[in-house]
Amino acid sequence: MSKIAEVKAKVEAGKSKLVPGLVQEALDEGSTPSEILQAMVDSMGVVGDKFSSGEIFVPEMLIAAKAMSKGVEVLKPLMAGDGSASLGTCIIGTVAGDLHDIGKNLVSMMIESAGFDMVDLGVDVPADTFVQAVKDNANVKLVACSGLLTTTMPALKEAVQTIKAAYPEMKVIVGGAPVTPEYAVEVGADGYAPDAGSAAVKAKELATA
């Protein structure tokens, strides 16, 4: 079993204590940081699929994400130097009236692992705060708004429309349990993601489009 395959397996199993050492061993064997990162993103993809199909639940998914972030820590200093430029800054937050952060934190980790600099505004974020964050941070390419309650769907709509009014070119991605692709279109978002893995893929697509 190659070291990369071991990294993959251990991320999937959520072995955050073992992942950094294995990442280092894979590097020593000559694997490139981006190959190792891709392997970890792939294993989070597997974890995401298992989550979507109900085979595992949020705790297992968070444990795997934590294992991955430990591996990413080892790679970060190297990635900065290998010319894989950041895709830009992504602002993320849960909309006003909504205090859910587990899903948002997971999405944030996944989008970060895809190559973005993250600015996490936390939960219960008013629409204007998203706009202010775009103003205050350099190179913002994407705003990710999360809403997990049916009652906060109007706040999600307000957030998207407020951002778009201030920055018509800004890409906005939305997600959360009650959000549908149709609703995303209706509120004027550029993208919708059903889960953290697809959020990362969508974020990359939108930022490089």
Side-chain angles (χ1 to χ4, degrees), residues 51-87:
F51 176 74
S52 301
S53 67
E55 212 176 306
I56 61 167
F57 301 97
V58 167
E60 291 93 336
M61 192 147 161
L62 285 174
I63 290 165
K66 182 175 180 216
M68 171 165 176
S69 69
K70 291 287 182 210
V72 171
E73 278 169 24
V74 179
L75 296 176
K76 259 203 174 136
L78 305 167
M79 299 291 280
D82 79 349
S84 61
S86 158
L87 291 170

PDB file of all heavy atoms in Angstrom, residues 51-87:
ATOM      1  N   PHE A  51     -21.908   9.917   3.721  1.00  0.00           N
ATOM      2  CA  PHE A  51     -22.796  10.753   4.532  1.00  0.00           C
ATOM      3  C   PHE A  51     -24.123  10.945   3.792  1.00  0.00           C
ATOM      4  O   PHE A  51     -25.197  10.790   4.367  1.00  0.00           O
ATOM      5  CB  PHE A  51     -22.129  12.099   4.813  1.00  0.00           C
ATOM      6  CG  PHE A  51     -23.001  13.063   5.548  1.00  0.00           C
ATOM      7  CD1 PHE A  51     -23.266  12.891   6.897  1.00  0.00           C
ATOM      8  CD2 PHE A  51     -23.566  14.153   4.898  1.00  0.00           C
ATOM      9  CE1 PHE A  51     -24.077  13.782   7.592  1.00  0.00           C
ATOM     10  CE2 PHE A  51     -24.383  15.053   5.578  1.00  0.00           C
ATOM     11  CZ  PHE A  51     -24.632  14.864   6.929  1.00  0.00           C
ATOM     12  N   SER A  52     -24.030  11.256   2.492  1.00  0.00           N
ATOM     13  CA  SER A  52     -25.244  11.485   1.694  1.00  0.00           C
ATOM     14  C   SER A  52     -26.127  10.252   1.669  1.00  0.00           C
ATOM     15  O   SER A  52     -27.349  10.349   1.649  1.00  0.00           O
ATOM     16  CB  SER A  52     -24.876  11.866   0.254  1.00  0.00           C
ATOM     17  OG  SER A  52     -24.099  13.032   0.258  1.00  0.00           O
ATOM     18  N   SER A  53     -25.490   9.066   1.664  1.00  0.00           N
ATOM     19  CA  SER A  53     -26.289   7.835   1.569  1.00  0.00           C
ATOM     20  C   SER A  53     -26.709   7.329   2.955  1.00  0.00           C
ATOM     21  O   SER A  53     -27.324   6.275   3.072  1.00  0.00           O
ATOM     22  CB  SER A  53     -25.492   6.747   0.841  1.00  0.00           C
ATOM     23  OG  SER A  53     -24.381   6.358   1.638  1.00  0.00           O
ATOM     24  N   GLY A  54     -26.359   8.073   3.998  1.00  0.00           N
ATOM     25  CA  GLY A  54     -26.812   7.696   5.339  1.00  0.00           C
ATOM     26  C   GLY A  54     -26.002   6.598   5.984  1.00  0.00           C
ATOM     27  O   GLY A  54     -26.371   6.038   7.018  1.00  0.00           O
ATOM     28  N   GLU A  55     -24.829   6.285   5.374  1.00  0.00           N
ATOM     29  CA  GLU A  55     -23.978   5.228   5.927  1.00  0.00           C
ATOM     30  C   GLU A  55     -23.230   5.731   7.166  1.00  0.00           C
ATOM     31  O   GLU A  55     -22.963   4.981   8.095  1.00  0.00           O
ATOM     32  CB  GLU A  55     -22.961   4.836   4.844  1.00  0.00           C
ATOM     33  CG  GLU A  55     -22.527   3.408   4.855  1.00  0.00           C
ATOM     34  CD  GLU A  55     -21.597   3.128   3.679  1.00  0.00           C
ATOM     35  OE1 GLU A  55     -21.974   3.415   2.521  1.00  0.00           O
ATOM     36  OE2 GLU A  55     -20.489   2.654   3.932  1.00  0.00           O
ATOM     37  N   ILE A  56     -22.860   7.010   7.137  1.00  0.00           N
ATOM     38  CA  ILE A  56     -22.244   7.632   8.307  1.00  0.00           C
ATOM     39  C   ILE A  56     -22.990   8.935   8.606  1.00  0.00           C
ATOM     40  O   ILE A  56     -23.802   9.383   7.794  1.00  0.00           O
ATOM     41  CB  ILE A  56     -20.743   7.947   8.087  1.00  0.00           C
ATOM     42  CG1 ILE A  56     -20.565   8.921   6.927  1.00  0.00           C
ATOM     43  CG2 ILE A  56     -19.923   6.679   7.883  1.00  0.00           C
ATOM     44  CD1 ILE A  56     -19.176   9.519   6.847  1.00  0.00           C
ATOM     45  N   PHE A  57     -22.675   9.529   9.752  1.00  0.00           N
ATOM     46  CA  PHE A  57     -23.390  10.733  10.178  1.00  0.00           C
ATOM     47  C   PHE A  57     -22.423  11.879  10.426  1.00  0.00           C
ATOM     48  O   PHE A  57     -21.221  11.741  10.251  1.00  0.00           O
ATOM     49  CB  PHE A  57     -24.251  10.406  11.394  1.00  0.00           C
ATOM     50  CG  PHE A  57     -25.255   9.321  11.098  1.00  0.00           C
ATOM     51  CD1 PHE A  57     -25.000   8.000  11.440  1.00  0.00           C
ATOM     52  CD2 PHE A  57     -26.416   9.607  10.391  1.00  0.00           C
ATOM     53  CE1 PHE A  57     -25.899   6.990  11.113  1.00  0.00           C
ATOM     54  CE2 PHE A  57     -27.322   8.608  10.059  1.00  0.00           C
ATOM     55  CZ  PHE A  57     -27.063   7.303  10.421  1.00  0.00           C
ATOM     56  N   VAL A  58     -22.967  13.015  10.863  1.00  0.00           N
ATOM     57  CA  VAL A  58     -22.142  14.223  11.016  1.00  0.00           C
ATOM     58  C   VAL A  58     -20.879  13.999  11.867  1.00  0.00           C
ATOM     59  O   VAL A  58     -19.798  14.431  11.479  1.00  0.00           O
ATOM     60  CB  VAL A  58     -23.001  15.398  11.559  1.00  0.00           C
ATOM     61  CG1 VAL A  58     -22.129  16.548  12.031  1.00  0.00           C
ATOM     62  CG2 VAL A  58     -23.927  15.901  10.457  1.00  0.00           C
ATOM     63  N   PRO A  59     -20.971  13.292  13.021  1.00  0.00           N
ATOM     64  CA  PRO A  59     -19.737  13.153  13.821  1.00  0.00           C
ATOM     65  C   PRO A  59     -18.586  12.505  13.042  1.00  0.00           C
ATOM     66  O   PRO A  59     -17.454  13.000  13.070  1.00  0.00           O
ATOM     67  CB  PRO A  59     -20.162  12.269  14.991  1.00  0.00           C
ATOM     68  CG  PRO A  59     -21.641  12.450  15.091  1.00  0.00           C
ATOM     69  CD  PRO A  59     -22.129  12.698  13.683  1.00  0.00           C
ATOM     70  N   GLU A  60     -18.893  11.422  12.306  1.00  0.00           N
ATOM     71  CA  GLU A  60     -17.835  10.748  11.529  1.00  0.00           C
ATOM     72  C   GLU A  60     -17.276  11.676  10.456  1.00  0.00           C
ATOM     73  O   GLU A  60     -16.089  11.674  10.169  1.00  0.00           O
ATOM     74  CB  GLU A  60     -18.365   9.480  10.844  1.00  0.00           C
ATOM     75  CG  GLU A  60     -18.707   8.345  11.775  1.00  0.00           C
ATOM     76  CD  GLU A  60     -20.171   8.345  12.206  1.00  0.00           C
ATOM     77  OE1 GLU A  60     -20.832   9.411  12.179  1.00  0.00           O
ATOM     78  OE2 GLU A  60     -20.661   7.274  12.572  1.00  0.00           O
ATOM     79  N   MET A  61     -18.171  12.457   9.873  1.00  0.00           N
ATOM     80  CA  MET A  61     -17.751  13.357   8.814  1.00  0.00           C
ATOM     81  C   MET A  61     -16.829  14.444   9.374  1.00  0.00           C
ATOM     82  O   MET A  61     -15.810  14.786   8.776  1.00  0.00           O
ATOM     83  CB  MET A  61     -18.994  13.993   8.202  1.00  0.00           C
ATOM     84  CG  MET A  61     -18.703  14.705   6.930  1.00  0.00           C
ATOM     85  SD  MET A  61     -20.131  14.576   5.850  1.00  0.00           S
ATOM     86  CE  MET A  61     -19.806  15.901   4.738  1.00  0.00           C
ATOM     87  N   LEU A  62     -17.168  14.952  10.551  1.00  0.00           N
ATOM     88  CA  LEU A  62     -16.333  15.984  11.178  1.00  0.00           C
ATOM     89  C   LEU A  62     -14.974  15.418  11.578  1.00  0.00           C
ATOM     90  O   LEU A  62     -13.949  16.089  11.471  1.00  0.00           O
ATOM     91  CB  LEU A  62     -17.029  16.555  12.419  1.00  0.00           C
ATOM     92  CG  LEU A  62     -18.184  17.516  12.138  1.00  0.00           C
ATOM     93  CD1 LEU A  62     -18.882  17.896  13.427  1.00  0.00           C
ATOM     94  CD2 LEU A  62     -17.676  18.761  11.428  1.00  0.00           C
ATOM     95  N   ILE A  63     -14.973  14.170  12.046  1.00  0.00           N
ATOM     96  CA  ILE A  63     -13.712  13.548  12.453  1.00  0.00           C
ATOM     97  C   ILE A  63     -12.801  13.390  11.237  1.00  0.00           C
ATOM     98  O   ILE A  63     -11.597  13.652  11.300  1.00  0.00           O
ATOM     99  CB  ILE A  63     -13.987  12.185  13.152  1.00  0.00           C
ATOM    100  CG1 ILE A  63     -14.638  12.434  14.526  1.00  0.00           C
ATOM    101  CG2 ILE A  63     -12.704  11.394  13.333  1.00  0.00           C
ATOM    102  CD1 ILE A  63     -15.268  11.203  15.145  1.00  0.00           C
ATOM    103  N   ALA A  64     -13.381  12.985  10.109  1.00  0.00           N
ATOM    104  CA  ALA A  64     -12.589  12.850   8.878  1.00  0.00           C
ATOM    105  C   ALA A  64     -12.085  14.219   8.423  1.00  0.00           C
ATOM    106  O   ALA A  64     -10.929  14.368   8.006  1.00  0.00           O
ATOM    107  CB  ALA A  64     -13.428  12.193   7.777  1.00  0.00           C
ATOM    108  N   ALA A  65     -12.947  15.236   8.519  1.00  0.00           N
ATOM    109  CA  ALA A  65     -12.543  16.586   8.105  1.00  0.00           C
ATOM    110  C   ALA A  65     -11.398  17.089   8.981  1.00  0.00           C
ATOM    111  O   ALA A  65     -10.474  17.754   8.516  1.00  0.00           O
ATOM    112  CB  ALA A  65     -13.724  17.537   8.187  1.00  0.00           C
ATOM    113  N   LYS A  66     -11.460  16.742  10.268  1.00  0.00           N
ATOM    114  CA  LYS A  66     -10.394  17.163  11.187  1.00  0.00           C
ATOM    115  C   LYS A  66      -9.082  16.465  10.803  1.00  0.00           C
ATOM    116  O   LYS A  66      -8.010  17.091  10.792  1.00  0.00           O
ATOM    117  CB  LYS A  66     -10.779  16.827  12.624  1.00  0.00           C
ATOM    118  CG  LYS A  66      -9.734  17.294  13.609  1.00  0.00           C
ATOM    119  CD  LYS A  66     -10.133  17.095  15.054  1.00  0.00           C
ATOM    120  CE  LYS A  66      -8.997  17.611  15.933  1.00  0.00           C
ATOM    121  NZ  LYS A  66      -8.802  16.834  17.141  1.00  0.00           N
ATOM    122  N   ALA A  67      -9.182  15.182  10.478  1.00  0.00           N
ATOM    123  CA  ALA A  67      -7.983  14.433  10.071  1.00  0.00           C
ATOM    124  C   ALA A  67      -7.375  15.071   8.829  1.00  0.00           C
ATOM    125  O   ALA A  67      -6.155  15.252   8.727  1.00  0.00           O
ATOM    126  CB  ALA A  67      -8.343  12.972   9.803  1.00  0.00           C
ATOM    127  N   MET A  68      -8.247  15.454   7.893  1.00  0.00           N
ATOM    128  CA  MET A  68      -7.759  16.091   6.680  1.00  0.00           C
ATOM    129  C   MET A  68      -7.084  17.422   7.000  1.00  0.00           C
ATOM    130  O   MET A  68      -6.022  17.743   6.463  1.00  0.00           O
ATOM    131  CB  MET A  68      -8.893  16.319   5.699  1.00  0.00           C
ATOM    132  CG  MET A  68      -8.428  17.164   4.536  1.00  0.00           C
ATOM    133  SD  MET A  68      -9.547  17.131   3.143  1.00  0.00           S
ATOM    134  CE  MET A  68      -8.708  18.321   2.102  1.00  0.00           C
ATOM    135  N   SER A  69      -7.705  18.205   7.894  1.00  0.00           N
ATOM    136  CA  SER A  69      -7.130  19.527   8.169  1.00  0.00           C
ATOM    137  C   SER A  69      -5.756  19.400   8.822  1.00  0.00           C
ATOM    138  O   SER A  69      -4.879  20.224   8.594  1.00  0.00           O
ATOM    139  CB  SER A  69      -8.083  20.378   9.007  1.00  0.00           C
ATOM    140  OG  SER A  69      -8.186  19.875  10.311  1.00  0.00           O
ATOM    141  N   LYS A  70      -5.557  18.324   9.591  1.00  0.00           N
ATOM    142  CA  LYS A  70      -4.228  18.075  10.176  1.00  0.00           C
ATOM    143  C   LYS A  70      -3.205  17.780   9.071  1.00  0.00           C
ATOM    144  O   LYS A  70      -2.041  18.180   9.158  1.00  0.00           O
ATOM    145  CB  LYS A  70      -4.279  16.888  11.155  1.00  0.00           C
ATOM    146  CG  LYS A  70      -5.067  17.174  12.419  1.00  0.00           C
ATOM    147  CD  LYS A  70      -4.301  18.107  13.343  1.00  0.00           C
ATOM    148  CE  LYS A  70      -5.041  18.381  14.627  1.00  0.00           C
ATOM    149  NZ  LYS A  70      -4.735  19.721  15.158  1.00  0.00           N
ATOM    150  N   GLY A  71      -3.661  17.057   8.059  1.00  0.00           N
ATOM    151  CA  GLY A  71      -2.777  16.772   6.923  1.00  0.00           C
ATOM    152  C   GLY A  71      -2.480  18.020   6.122  1.00  0.00           C
ATOM    153  O   GLY A  71      -1.343  18.263   5.693  1.00  0.00           O
ATOM    154  N   VAL A  72      -3.510  18.858   5.948  1.00  0.00           N
ATOM    155  CA  VAL A  72      -3.357  20.104   5.188  1.00  0.00           C
ATOM    156  C   VAL A  72      -2.340  21.021   5.876  1.00  0.00           C
ATOM    157  O   VAL A  72      -1.558  21.698   5.223  1.00  0.00           O
ATOM    158  CB  VAL A  72      -4.724  20.816   5.008  1.00  0.00           C
ATOM    159  CG1 VAL A  72      -4.543  22.207   4.424  1.00  0.00           C
ATOM    160  CG2 VAL A  72      -5.628  19.983   4.091  1.00  0.00           C
ATOM    161  N   GLU A  73      -2.340  21.002   7.224  1.00  0.00           N
ATOM    162  CA  GLU A  73      -1.379  21.825   7.974  1.00  0.00           C
ATOM    163  C   GLU A  73       0.060  21.513   7.576  1.00  0.00           C
ATOM    164  O   GLU A  73       0.898  22.409   7.482  1.00  0.00           O
ATOM    165  CB  GLU A  73      -1.550  21.621   9.488  1.00  0.00           C
ATOM    166  CG  GLU A  73      -2.680  22.459  10.078  1.00  0.00           C
ATOM    167  CD  GLU A  73      -3.029  22.065  11.511  1.00  0.00           C
ATOM    168  OE1 GLU A  73      -2.159  21.491  12.214  1.00  0.00           O
ATOM    169  OE2 GLU A  73      -4.169  22.329  11.926  1.00  0.00           O
ATOM    170  N   VAL A  74       0.343  20.232   7.355  1.00  0.00           N
ATOM    171  CA  VAL A  74       1.696  19.833   6.951  1.00  0.00           C
ATOM    172  C   VAL A  74       2.009  20.358   5.549  1.00  0.00           C
ATOM    173  O   VAL A  74       3.125  20.782   5.247  1.00  0.00           O
ATOM    174  CB  VAL A  74       1.853  18.284   6.973  1.00  0.00           C
ATOM    175  CG1 VAL A  74       3.243  17.862   6.526  1.00  0.00           C
ATOM    176  CG2 VAL A  74       1.548  17.745   8.370  1.00  0.00           C
ATOM    177  N   LEU A  75       0.997  20.341   4.689  1.00  0.00           N
ATOM    178  CA  LEU A  75       1.205  20.719   3.282  1.00  0.00           C
ATOM    179  C   LEU A  75       1.222  22.226   3.057  1.00  0.00           C
ATOM    180  O   LEU A  75       1.867  22.702   2.126  1.00  0.00           O
ATOM    181  CB  LEU A  75       0.093  20.117   2.412  1.00  0.00           C
ATOM    182  CG  LEU A  75       0.041  18.595   2.339  1.00  0.00           C
ATOM    183  CD1 LEU A  75      -1.171  18.174   1.521  1.00  0.00           C
ATOM    184  CD2 LEU A  75       1.313  18.016   1.723  1.00  0.00           C
ATOM    185  N   LYS A  76       0.507  22.961   3.909  1.00  0.00           N
ATOM    186  CA  LYS A  76       0.311  24.400   3.668  1.00  0.00           C
ATOM    187  C   LYS A  76       1.589  25.162   3.346  1.00  0.00           C
ATOM    188  O   LYS A  76       1.657  25.864   2.345  1.00  0.00           O
ATOM    189  CB  LYS A  76      -0.404  25.045   4.849  1.00  0.00           C
ATOM    190  CG  LYS A  76      -1.864  25.251   4.551  1.00  0.00           C
ATOM    191  CD  LYS A  76      -2.500  26.336   5.386  1.00  0.00           C
ATOM    192  CE  LYS A  76      -3.921  26.544   4.895  1.00  0.00           C
ATOM    193  NZ  LYS A  76      -4.882  26.665   5.956  1.00  0.00           N
ATOM    194  N   PRO A  77       2.632  25.032   4.208  1.00  0.00           N
ATOM    195  CA  PRO A  77       3.857  25.801   3.916  1.00  0.00           C
ATOM    196  C   PRO A  77       4.457  25.430   2.560  1.00  0.00           C
ATOM    197  O   PRO A  77       5.063  26.257   1.884  1.00  0.00           O
ATOM    198  CB  PRO A  77       4.812  25.410   5.043  1.00  0.00           C
ATOM    199  CG  PRO A  77       4.083  24.497   5.961  1.00  0.00           C
ATOM    200  CD  PRO A  77       2.711  24.264   5.447  1.00  0.00           C
ATOM    201  N   LEU A  78       4.277  24.179   2.148  1.00  0.00           N
ATOM    202  CA  LEU A  78       4.854  23.717   0.875  1.00  0.00           C
ATOM    203  C   LEU A  78       4.009  24.192  -0.302  1.00  0.00           C
ATOM    204  O   LEU A  78       4.532  24.543  -1.350  1.00  0.00           O
ATOM    205  CB  LEU A  78       4.914  22.187   0.859  1.00  0.00           C
ATOM    206  CG  LEU A  78       5.668  21.552   2.032  1.00  0.00           C
ATOM    207  CD1 LEU A  78       5.400  20.063   2.092  1.00  0.00           C
ATOM    208  CD2 LEU A  78       7.164  21.816   1.918  1.00  0.00           C
ATOM    209  N   MET A  79       2.695  24.183  -0.108  1.00  0.00           N
ATOM    210  CA  MET A  79       1.789  24.576  -1.198  1.00  0.00           C
ATOM    211  C   MET A  79       2.026  26.038  -1.566  1.00  0.00           C
ATOM    212  O   MET A  79       1.932  26.424  -2.711  1.00  0.00           O
ATOM    213  CB  MET A  79       0.325  24.423  -0.779  1.00  0.00           C
ATOM    214  CG  MET A  79      -0.092  23.018  -0.415  1.00  0.00           C
ATOM    215  SD  MET A  79      -0.131  21.883  -1.809  1.00  0.00           S
ATOM    216  CE  MET A  79      -1.683  22.307  -2.558  1.00  0.00           C
ATOM    217  N   ALA A  80       2.302  26.841  -0.559  1.00  0.00           N
ATOM    218  CA  ALA A  80       2.499  28.271  -0.803  1.00  0.00           C
ATOM    219  C   ALA A  80       3.638  28.477  -1.786  1.00  0.00           C
ATOM    220  O   ALA A  80       3.610  29.389  -2.600  1.00  0.00           O
ATOM    221  CB  ALA A  80       2.787  28.980   0.510  1.00  0.00           C
ATOM    222  N   GLY A  81       4.619  27.581  -1.717  1.00  0.00           N
ATOM    223  CA  GLY A  81       5.803  27.776  -2.552  1.00  0.00           C
ATOM    224  C   GLY A  81       5.753  27.083  -3.898  1.00  0.00           C
ATOM    225  O   GLY A  81       6.631  27.308  -4.726  1.00  0.00           O
ATOM    226  N   ASP A  82       4.768  26.213  -4.144  1.00  0.00           N
ATOM    227  CA  ASP A  82       4.864  25.443  -5.398  1.00  0.00           C
ATOM    228  C   ASP A  82       4.045  26.055  -6.527  1.00  0.00           C
ATOM    229  O   ASP A  82       3.688  25.383  -7.485  1.00  0.00           O
ATOM    230  CB  ASP A  82       4.520  23.962  -5.172  1.00  0.00           C
ATOM    231  CG  ASP A  82       3.025  23.704  -5.082  1.00  0.00           C
ATOM    232  OD1 ASP A  82       2.267  24.695  -4.994  1.00  0.00           O
ATOM    233  OD2 ASP A  82       2.624  22.537  -5.120  1.00  0.00           O
ATOM    234  N   GLY A  83       3.724  27.336  -6.364  1.00  0.00           N
ATOM    235  CA  GLY A  83       3.068  28.033  -7.474  1.00  0.00           C
ATOM    236  C   GLY A  83       1.591  27.746  -7.615  1.00  0.00           C
ATOM    237  O   GLY A  83       0.950  28.259  -8.512  1.00  0.00           O
ATOM    238  N   SER A  84       1.034  26.916  -6.715  1.00  0.00           N
ATOM    239  CA  SER A  84      -0.411  26.708  -6.808  1.00  0.00           C
ATOM    240  C   SER A  84      -1.052  27.889  -6.088  1.00  0.00           C
ATOM    241  O   SER A  84      -1.309  27.852  -4.898  1.00  0.00           O
ATOM    242  CB  SER A  84      -0.830  25.393  -6.148  1.00  0.00           C
ATOM    243  OG  SER A  84      -0.497  25.396  -4.789  1.00  0.00           O
ATOM    244  N   ALA A  85      -1.246  28.953  -6.843  1.00  0.00           N
ATOM    245  CA  ALA A  85      -1.722  30.200  -6.249  1.00  0.00           C
ATOM    246  C   ALA A  85      -3.099  29.985  -5.643  1.00  0.00           C
ATOM    247  O   ALA A  85      -3.855  29.133  -6.083  1.00  0.00           O
ATOM    248  CB  ALA A  85      -1.794  31.277  -7.322  1.00  0.00           C
ATOM    249  N   SER A  86      -3.390  30.765  -4.622  1.00  0.00           N
ATOM    250  CA  SER A  86      -4.709  30.709  -4.012  1.00  0.00           C
ATOM    251  C   SER A  86      -5.754  31.088  -5.065  1.00  0.00           C
ATOM    252  O   SER A  86      -5.501  31.899  -5.939  1.00  0.00           O
ATOM    253  CB  SER A  86      -4.775  31.689  -2.845  1.00  0.00           C
ATOM    254  OG  SER A  86      -6.110  32.016  -2.567  1.00  0.00           O
ATOM    255  N   LEU A  87      -6.908  30.475  -4.960  1.00  0.00           N
ATOM    256  CA  LEU A  87      -7.998  30.787  -5.898  1.00  0.00           C
ATOM    257  C   LEU A  87      -8.686  32.088  -5.511  1.00  0.00           C
ATOM    258  O   LEU A  87      -9.629  32.517  -6.159  1.00  0.00           O
ATOM    259  CB  LEU A  87      -9.021  29.655  -5.899  1.00  0.00           C
ATOM    260  CG  LEU A  87      -8.553  28.327  -6.500  1.00  0.00           C
ATOM    261  CD1 LEU A  87      -9.559  27.236  -6.214  1.00  0.00           C
ATOM    262  CD2 LEU A  87      -8.362  28.474  -8.004  1.00  0.00           C
TER     263      LEU A  87
END
